Structures are given as C-alpha cells and as structure tokens.
Amino acid sequence: MNIATSVHADTGLVRRTWQADMIAPTVDQGQGTRQSFVAASFTASAGARPKLFISALGLYRAFINGKRVGDDLLTPGWTCYDDRIAYQAYDLSNLVEEGENRIEIWLGDGWYRSQMMWKHQMVLNCWGERIAAIAEIVDGSDVILKTDAAWKSGLSPVTRSGIYYGEDYDARLETLEETGSVDVLDFDTDTLVAHETFPVRALQSNDPVESWRDSDGRNIYDFGQNAGGYVRITVRGSAGACVYVDHAEVLGPEKAFDKRNYRSARAAMRYTLKGEGTEIYAPLFTFTGFRYARTAIEGEAEILAIEQVPISSIREVAGGFECGESAVNRLVLNTLWSQRANFIEVPTDCPQRDERLGWTGDAQVFAGTACWLGDCRTFLEKYLRDVMHDQRENGAVPHFSPDPTRLHRDIFPDDWAGSTGWGDAIVTIPWQLYLHYGDRDILQECFPAMLRWLDYLWSISDGPIIHPTRAWMGDGFSFGDWLQPVGDNRKPRPTIGDDCAATLYHFISNELTAKIAGVLGDDAQRQRLLERAETIRAAFVREYFSQTGRLAHNDQTSYALAFLYDLVPADHFEAAKAYFRSVIEEADYLIGTGFIGTPALLPALSKLGMNDLAEKVFLNRKVPGWLYQVERGATTIWERWDAIGEDGTIYDPDMNSYNHYAYGAVCQWLFEDVAGVQPDPDAPGFARVRLNPAILPALGHVAMWHETGHGRIDAGWRIEGGRAIYTVTIPDGVEAFLPLAGRTNLEIDGHPAETGQAEIVLAAGRHNIGFDVSGD
Ligand code: BGC
C-alpha cells in the first residue's frame, strides 16, 4: 500500500494519507465523566520494525502490551483543533512482539472538551463533544493495523480528568474491560499535521525541601520551586483508600495553604489505591502550576514518596545571564521557570487558574526574551498559525489563541478580539523569529495577516489616533497598559494614556510591517505602510506633544514607547528626555508601567544613554519593581507587581497569578543592552551582531551566553580600576560589529582602537575590549 507524506510548500506543514478512521468509544458518557479507551489486537511478524502514527480528539496515551508508547505528555498537543490537530509518530520496535499484540489508546477530555475559560463564561466541549482516536501501525509499506469500526472500547481507571479540574484515578479499575464498540466519526484527515514543535516532556523532578502538617492533619510539601507540571506519588495502603492532592503557589499567614487564586480550577488529583504493594501514580491528562502540594488521606494509606514533576515544551536552555547581584540572577532564573511553565504547547498567561490561555499580548512582549532563553522557533511558529486561524474577518487578532470564544458566540455574543498591544503579536512575534533564527518564511506566512491587522487598526482609528472604547467587548477596546501600578488598575477603567499607547502601537506595527515588506521584497506595500506610519507619526506629534516637548500623557509608558520607537521629533528630543527623566525621578525610581510599557522602559532609557536611571529603576527593591518579588521569595515571575503586599497580604486573589512571564521580558534588555549583544536585522539569525554593552557598575560584573544557529556566543564585562573589560567570544559564521562612538580610551585585544571609524568588525574568536567606565 502506498503511504504518502506531503510537505506544504509555504508552511512546511507535513501531512500524510491516512487509511484509518477517527473512532469514538461508545461507552463514553461525555465531558467530565469517566474516561475511556479504544483497543485492538494485531499480529506482527519476526523482525518487524513497526511505526505508530497516532492522534486524537482530546488527549491520548497509547500502550502496547501494557507498556507505554513514548514519553511525550499531553499528546496530541493543543492547537485550534478546528484548523489543525497534531499527530505523532513512534517507533514500536522495542514494544511489539512476534505474533499477537494488543494496543490500547486511553483518552482524556483535555483542552478539547474540558472546561475552558473562567467560571462565569465557562466553555465546555469547546471543540466537540466526542473524544476519539485515530491510529495506524505501519511496517515498511504495509499498514498492519488501523483504527476502524472493528475496534472495541471500554472505560479506563481515570474516573475524571480536565485541564483545570485535575484528575481522579481509581487503581482498582485497572483491569480493563472491553464493554463497548466504537463509532466511526465523520472526520477530515487533512486536518492532521505532524506535530509542529517539540513534545511536552517531564523535566527533572524536585523533591520537597520542607514539609509540615496543618491543623487538620494534612501534610503540606514545599518543593522550593513554582512550576507547571504535576505531582508523582508513591503510596502503600489498603484497597479503596484515597490520597487527595491539592496544589498552591503561595502560603498565607502562618504558612496557610492558599489556592484562592486558582478560581474555579479545582487543580487537584485523587488517587484510589488498589491495595497491592507499592503503587506509583502521576496524572495522565492534566497539569497545573504549583509550588506546594497538600495531601489528605482517607482510609489506610501511607505516602512513601512525593515529587514535583515540572513539564514543558521547551526543555533545553539556550541562554543564560549572570551578574554580581544575586537577586538579578534569581530574577533571570524565575523568568526561565515562568517560560517553562507557560510554554506547554501554547504560550499561556499562567499555568494554574481557570485561564491558561494563549494571550497574545503576553506572548508578544515576551517573545524576544523567550528566544534568548530557549529555542522557541517552532513553538512560536505553531502558535502564530493558531493566531492566524483565530483572526477575525475584519482583521481583528484574537486576545488569545486557540480562542474558545470564537467558537462559542452563545456565551460570547459580542466578538472579543482586536486589542492594541495584544493583536500586534501578529507583527512582533514573527519579527523576533526573523531576528533570532533568520526565519524569513514565517514573515511570508504571516504577512497577509499583518496587513489585515493593520487595516483593522486603521478602521478603528480616527485619522489615525486610536481612542479605545471603554466597553469591555466593544470594537476597538484596548487592554491598554494592563496592570499599570497606578491607582485602581481594574479594567474597563483606562490605564494612563490608553489612547496614546494604542496610537503608539498603531505606529509600531505599521513601521515594522513596512520593514518586513522590505525584507520580503514587496516594495509597493513597503511604500504604502511607510506613508501610513509617517501619517501616524505626524498625528502623534500633533496630538500628544506640547510645544515645550512634554507628552500629554506624562507617564513612563508613553515616554518609553515614544523614545524606543523614534516618535519623538528632533526639536522636542532634549526636552522630552528631561521630562522622561523627571517622571522617573519623581516616582522615586519606582516602575510606573504595565504589560506593554514595562518591556520598553529600560531599553528606552539605555537607548537614550540614561543608564544611571535604568540601573536605579532595575535595582530598586521597593514595590513596584522587579527585585521586590525576588526578595519576597518569588521563584517565578508574578502577574502583579504587588501580588504579595509588604505586610504579607495576598492582593486580590481573583486575579493574581504567581507565574506570569510578561514582566520577565526585562531579560531581553539584560541580554541586548546590559550584556550588549544585539541581533542585527540586516543579517538575521545571528549572522551579524552589534556589541554595545551598557556598563551598570552596581551589577559588578555580567556574563551572558547564548546558543545561536552558528554556535555559542559569550559576552560579559567586569570593572577594573575605572575601566570596563568587555570580553566576547564569537563563533565562526558570526560577524560582530563594535560601535566606537561614546567610548573613551578604547583598546581592543591590548591595542588602542583606531580613531575616526564609526565601528569595527571583530573576527570570530575571543576578544578583550577595554574602555573607561566614565565614558559609557
Ligand atoms: C491574563 C493576561 C492578559 C490579560 C488581558 C488576564 O486575565 O492573565 O495576562 O494579558 O488578562 O489584559
């Protein structure tokens, strides 16, 4: 038989011709009920090297002769299932025996049909009501087994599971009975594509660092690290005894277990023992964010071991930053942990509460940092395909993707999409992928969607200022500078300068897309978008600048974005810079920015040469500030600057996550400005870098590394006798440009640099560059 595989010329998506059917267990009682499996037997000949191709509606876990296939988690993954569903391929050589074999595919509700979205707008059966599996076992060119009407079904020991719910498992039900048959579903196998990114897998597990008993006799374990994953327990006891495991990110006063911020996510597991010796259990079809676990035992049982198993799609670390200030090092580590926990199939806001959605705004501010810390190319490309699928007809980009609201207008009658700063993800994320990986194809693939987004922005603007509506679901609504730490920051109250921030993003996306059109050789679009960008720039200056160079919205976010994206006209430059400085000084170096201002703040200050201010803001220990949370023991990045108050009180548990990577976007500044390694858009994918470190004496020394497509780059500086010694190691295939302006007494590898040049090119290898600190 002919097993054809095809690769899409533009997207690179791989499809295969399936002979199998998508089969649904007849025993399945629907969302939230006991989970089911489908099974069949097959014969394999001696020396067979069979391969399994498999996917599902819902989540699956496959077993051959009772042994698990592969170690991937949460397969087939999460996408807009109405557009694409991933399939996986596994080599079965070591599992299949000569003669009779049995395959079981256990199914879980997963993202497909367990609760999505928060309680008051909960979506059940988001992508469909029936879970099902499709599989083929292929040996050479022969299909030796395929899912079809002849398969049997039954109920599994997973008595309930859901992404937010957690899992219940009754080990007494492990002897599977085939009590039902299957229905062949009407399913288009063209929807199936080879998994576009790395599989989710377990990272190294963590043992508890501390445990204690609460007043109700329950054990609480502290794993020392907030992470996305699950707990694995080793237990012994009598049949029918139960272990209930609950999760939390924080403790309240007197070490009280506090999971109020999970909202309607039960995020717990309940294991019922079979009572046969030592039993080990970890949930199959769920995960949650947690640092603490609390166990309650009903009946006769004993916990012999308990571990935290963090999971992630991005398991390899691709970059690091370290300096003489330990709180900063912890901040970088916290960012990495927030990335791991939230890069589970889709870049999500948080891994714990009844949300865990692929928020576009969070992803767009964090994409640069994400690519420094991990190889995120395929992960973010996959996400962008979902974002494009969810883009509305009018060009509005979703607030999050995969977007459950798009398919459930019964619950969300007004379309909820199209916020500035969020929808711009369709422009800024492909650009980061281009910078980091030289990925021109993703620019091409997303370009039409960018143009539609820009037309949408134009349509909600008013020649071309955008005045966002205050109506939560209204056309042109903007999250603004979400969670800006000024006054009451609950929406729909405007954050400072919503219109200004929206108009800034209107400009940013037009200008960036013009640049992208240039890369793609589309000159007509480039011209058109540049003109549009110029119109917005002129209107921006007219609308927001006073005659003396002060911005109408005299706040950190407006100045940071305006300077970073070159919207400050030359005649106002110095005055605006002075205003920017005084806004920060008046705030006593406390951060005044939210989701979109924060990533821009320090890069803008460094760009302006105001590194003294950048240093003070960055190292400020007070709230709001990055290091405040580190000093309060955070092991991941918090959603809110003030998530735990100075007196230990937990701020608004209704919306308060302790694992939200957005503010960790500051790491991009550490790599690019402080360590000074900047990817060059004219030679992307690190074919060329610019080296321009900002010397912040309070950091003592800094060192970064990053694994690029050409090899590893190392860069760092230390201060000796009033001189900065900047040491870099450049791999072959990377050109490094060192700008000379602003450096005094510059020496390169022991020789004075030639004056009169704007920059010099460093050859591959290790270099020592010295200059006066005062000249920085
Ligand atoms: C999420 C986000 C998101 C925001 C929208 C929150 O509920 O957790 O991180 O970006 O809503 O502004």
Side-chain angles (χ1 to χ4, degrees):
M1 270 177 241
N2 189 18
I3 298 149
T5 301
S6 65
V7 182
H8 192 280
D10 299 330
T11 60
L13 288 177
V14 178
R15 289 187 169 78
R16 60 188 298 280
T17 332
W18 292 78
Q19 293 167 27
D21 297 317
M22 184 63 89
I23 55 168
T26 55
V27 295
D28 172 32
Q29 298 294 303
Q31 179 289 129
T33 63
R34 186 168 161 196
Q35 309 278 263
S36 46
F37 69 90
V38 292
S41 296
F42 63 99
T43 321
S45 49
R49 300 187 60 80
K51 225 173 158 180
L52 171 68
F53 293 91
I54 180 166
S55 185
L57 305 178
L59 298 176
Y60 77 80
R61 187 168 284 189
F63 300 88
I64 301 276
N65 304 323
K67 293 208 182 92
R68 179 169 169 194
V69 177
D71 50 7
D72 300 344
L73 300 165
L74 304 170
T75 47
W78 189 20
T79 43
C80 292
Y81 295 129
D82 52 320
D83 179 46
R84 301 159 355 272
I85 303 177
Y87 71 83
Q88 283 76 30
Y90 297 101
D91 180 4
L92 299 183
S93 307
N94 296 328
L95 292 171
V96 162
E97 287 154 19
E98 184 184 349
E100 182 84 350
N101 291 271
R102 175 182 159 87
I103 178 169
E104 279 164 16
I105 304 171
W106 294 23
L107 293 165
D109 288 0
W111 291 285
Y112 193 78
R113 72 173 192 185
S114 74
Q115 178 187 340
M116 293 274 97
M117 315 286 299
W118 35 78
K119 194 173 176 185
H120 61 283
Q121 286 168 312
M122 166 190 307
V123 177
L124 298 175
N125 295 310
C126 185
W127 280 276
E129 291 183 4
R130 297 198 73 179
I131 48 171
I134 186 167
E136 271 178 34
I137 299 182
V138 176
D139 191 14
S141 56
D142 292 338
V143 175
I144 58 175
L145 180 77
K146 60 187 174 75
T147 42
D148 61 19
W151 282 49
K152 297 283 179 260
S153 70
L155 294 169
S156 85
V158 181
T159 53
R160 183 166 176 185
S161 83
I163 296 292
Y164 305 159
Y165 177 80
E167 194 164 286
D168 298 336
Y169 186 99
D170 189 340
R172 294 171 304 178
L173 305 173
E174 277 176 352
T175 310
L176 301 187
E177 284 175 55
E178 291 174 2
T179 49
S181 56
V182 297
D183 290 330
V184 170
L185 301 186
D186 187 14
F187 177 77
D188 178 4
T189 53
D190 263 357
T191 316
L192 297 172
V193 297
H195 200 189
E196 293 154 77
T197 187
F198 309 114
V200 177
R201 295 232 178 102
L203 306 171
Q204 198 183 341
S205 57
N206 296 318
D207 290 328
V209 292
E210 199 190 338
S211 68
W212 62 94
R213 196 163 280 235
D214 72 6
S215 51
D216 294 321
R218 294 169 296 193
N219 277 343
I220 298 178
Y221 301 88
D222 175 4
F223 296 101
Q225 176 61 56
N226 200 12
Y230 47 78
V231 151
R232 179 165 46 224
I233 50 170
T234 307
V235 291
R236 192 167 46 204
S238 51
C242 287
V243 179
Y244 189 83
V245 183
D246 225 334
H247 304 85
E249 292 185 295
V250 286
L251 300 175
E254 282 157 43
K255 291 171 114 180
F257 193 79
D258 191 331
K259 69 174 295 196
R260 287 173 299 159
N261 64 324
Y262 287 50
R263 302 192 305 215
S264 75
R266 187 193 74 149
M269 65 187 205
R270 182 187 178 84
Y271 178 76
T272 306
L273 281 78
K274 59 184 170 227
E276 293 167 16
T278 302
E279 303 176 33
I280 298 177
Y281 168 73
L284 289 79
F285 298 124
T286 192
F287 68 97
T288 191
F290 68 105
R291 169 172 170 172
Y292 304 93
R294 181 177 65 189
T295 56
I297 295 176
E298 284 166 36
E300 282 295 300
E302 185 192 353
I303 297 175
L304 304 174
I306 183 163
E307 297 158 90
Q308 177 192 52
V309 184
I311 65 171
S312 187
S313 294
I314 306 292
R315 300 178 328 265
E316 304 289 331
V317 183
F321 178 96
E322 185 271 322
C323 68
E325 176 53 71
S326 61
V328 171
N329 299 340
R330 184 67 230 195
L331 182 81
V332 177
L333 192 60
N334 291 1
T335 307
L336 180 67
W337 275 104
S338 280
Q339 172 168 4
R340 287 173 170 157
N342 282 299
F343 276 40
I344 294 175
E345 269 297 307
V346 165
T348 54
D349 55 338
C350 57
Q352 76 300 85
R353 67 176 177 229
D354 51 358
E355 203 159 337
R356 312 188 197 178
L357 296 168
W359 281 94
T360 45
D362 309 39
Q364 78 98 358
V365 298
F366 190 69
T369 293
C371 294
W372 280 109
L373 294 174
D375 174 0
C376 298
R377 177 178 181 164
T378 55
F379 181 85
L380 290 172
E381 283 177 354
K382 164 179 171 291
Y383 173 63
L384 286 167
R385 293 191 184 111
D386 291 321
V387 171
M388 287 190 279
H389 181 70
D390 278 325
Q391 188 174 23
R392 309 302 202 250
E393 246 167 45
N394 64 0
V397 170
H399 297 330
F400 37 78
S401 183
D403 182 358
T405 72
R406 179 176 55 81
L407 299 168
H408 291 276
R409 297 301 284 269
D410 47 331
I411 302 170
F412 295 86
D414 300 309
D415 195 15
W416 202 38
S419 165
T420 56
W422 270 247
D424 301 283
I426 194 58
V427 181
T428 55
I429 297 178
W431 182 249
Q432 285 301 328
L433 295 178
Y434 180 67
L435 286 178
H436 279 262
Y437 309 107
D439 190 351
R440 189 180 180 279
D441 291 350
I442 197 70
L443 295 183
Q444 189 79 62
E445 199 180 330
C446 297
F447 190 58
M450 295 176 197
L451 296 179
R452 291 176 55 219
W453 167 246
L454 296 182
D455 287 344
Y456 171 78
L457 286 182
W458 191 259
S459 79
I460 59 166
S461 80
D462 163 20
I465 303 294
I466 299 182
H467 295 282
T469 164
R470 293 270 77 80
W472 188 249
M473 305 250 167
D475 208 22
F477 167 80
S478 173
F479 293 107
D481 194 22
W482 182 249
L483 298 189
Q484 202 175 64
V486 184
D488 176 357
N489 49 31
R490 268 167 302 188
K491 282 279 166 182
R493 178 193 174 277
T495 44
I496 289 180
D498 273 3
D499 58 328
C500 185
T503 305
L504 275 157
Y505 258 97
H506 192 196
F507 173 81
I508 293 167
S509 279
N510 268 280
E511 214 212 12
L512 194 49
T513 311
K515 222 180 262 174
I516 291 168
V519 172
L520 298 176
D522 188 337
D523 236 30
Q525 284 294 3
R526 186 176 155 270
Q527 230 14 72
R528 184 178 79 92
L529 298 174
L530 276 180
E531 275 161 32
R532 225 188 231 187
E534 283 321 307
T535 314
I536 304 168
R537 190 203 302 273
F540 180 87
V541 172
R542 226 177 19 250
E543 179 88 20
Y544 296 109
F545 271 105
S546 76
Q547 292 192 352
T548 56
R550 189 204 287 253
L551 274 174
H553 295 289
N554 197 33
D555 68 284
Q556 296 181 18
T557 293
S558 304
Y559 282 110
L561 287 169
F563 274 114
L564 194 61
Y565 294 97
D566 301 320
L567 275 147
V568 182
D571 52 339
H572 289 331
F573 202 87
E574 287 309 320
K577 206 170 139 180
Y579 281 122
F580 190 14
R581 175 177 281 277
S582 61
V583 162
I584 291 174
E585 284 174 351
E586 278 159 25
D588 200 16
Y589 310 101
L590 294 177
I591 293 173
T593 51
F595 269 38
I596 62 172
T598 301
L601 183 61
L602 302 186
L605 292 174
S606 288
K607 178 176 176 176
L608 295 172
M610 300 203 286
N611 284 318
D612 58 322
L613 280 191
E615 182 183 78
K616 285 202 177 100
V617 173
F618 183 54
L619 294 179
N620 200 335
R621 257 74 175 170
K622 293 195 210 121
V623 64
W626 282 279
L627 300 188
Y628 167 79
Q629 51 185 271
V630 172
E631 296 203 332
R632 292 212 64 89
T635 60
T636 37
I637 303 291
W638 293 351
E639 175 177 26
R640 293 177 178 275
W641 295 117
D642 50 0
I644 297 179
E646 294 191 63
D647 59 356
T649 46
I650 288 177
Y651 182 85
D652 186 11
D654 273 352
M655 209 197 79
N656 197 352
S657 141
Y658 296 87
N659 204 348
H660 240 71
Y661 54 57
Y663 290 152
V666 71
C667 290
Q668 184 176 351
W669 171 77
L670 292 175
F671 283 100
E672 296 179 16
D673 292 288
V674 180
V677 180
Q678 296 162 3
D680 185 336
D682 294 330
F686 290 96
R688 190 188 302 148
V689 290
R690 309 194 78 76
L691 300 173
N692 199 14
I695 309 300
L696 308 182
L699 292 181
H701 68 270
V702 314
M704 68 72 80
W705 65 273
H706 180 61
E707 203 57 62
T708 76
H710 303 278
R712 178 174 156 135
I713 292 185
D714 282 271
W717 50 255
R718 60 185 197 280
I719 298 170
E720 276 172 19
R723 303 250 312 150
I725 315 294
Y726 184 50
T727 306
V728 291
T729 306
I730 307 296
D732 279 335
V734 178
E735 259 187 318
F737 277 68
L738 182 76
L740 305 186
R743 306 286 186 207
T744 39
N745 294 324
L746 189 72
E747 272 184 4
I748 298 167
D749 297 326
H751 305 291
E754 280 175 42
T755 47
Q757 280 172 275
E759 56 191 15
I760 58 159
V761 186
L762 298 175
R766 188 181 154 92
H767 302 278
N768 281 311
I769 298 144
F771 48 88
D772 293 348
V773 172
S774 53
D776 180 54

